[in-house]
Amino acid sequence: MLLPSMSSPRSATTVATGAVPAASQHAGGGTSYRYAVVLDAGSTGSRVHVFKFEEGGRAGSLTLLSDTFEQLKPGLSSFADSPREAADSLKPLLATAVSTVPKELQVGVGAGAGRKVWEIKGGEGNA
């Protein structure tokens, strides 16, 4: 499930919930967790938040347990002439997400406005 950004409207942000599969189970404990990954690839800096929630007894009830955060600079505007370098600049943030979310869940990324800017400026076709 992808949701729109709640941060800067100019950033390419994806919120991916840990809904594939729906939850990660504690071994033997029966406690269910959900994860949300927010990757904000901004023009002046990029950041990732990995939220871990515990599912409550009521349907839809979540309690925030942790927020793993990492930020990197420079941002995507520094790579306007090299989309490949822009993509590579995000790899450490993706590594943080992948290492924080349980292996049985998937971490995915989608892009929006920033990619369109590269196409308008005549950047590489395959970032």
Side-chain angles (χ1 to χ4, degrees):
M1 175 177 169
L2 299 177
L3 303 172
S5 168
M6 291 184 286
S7 61
S8 168
R10 294 181 296 176
S11 63
T13 304
T14 299
V15 179
T17 63
V20 184
S24 174
Q25 299 291 323
H26 243 316
T31 303
S32 295
Y33 300 100
R34 295 231 180 225
Y35 295 83
V37 176
V38 179
L39 177 64
D40 180 4
S43 61
T44 61
S46 297
R47 57 217 54 82
V48 67
H49 284 270
V50 182
F51 300 99
K52 180 179 180 181
F53 301 94
E54 181 178 19
E55 288 188 290
R58 292 184 333 199
S61 173
L62 299 174
T63 301
L64 179 64
L65 298 177
S66 65
D67 173 7
T68 302
F69 175 77
E70 186 174 341
Q71 179 174 330
L72 298 175
K73 292 188 179 201
L76 294 183
S77 63
S78 298
F79 306 103
D81 295 328
S82 180
R84 178 71 54 211
E85 287 182 43
D88 288 345
S89 76
L90 300 176
K91 286 182 179 180
L93 299 177
L94 290 170
T96 296
V98 168
S99 68
T100 305
V101 173
K103 291 180 183 180
E104 64 268 18
L105 300 178
Q106 299 175 6
V107 175
V109 176
R115 178 69 178 122
K116 293 174 188 170
V117 169
W118 283 328
E119 291 172 3
I120 290 169
K121 290 185 176 183
E124 295 174 18
N126 296 318

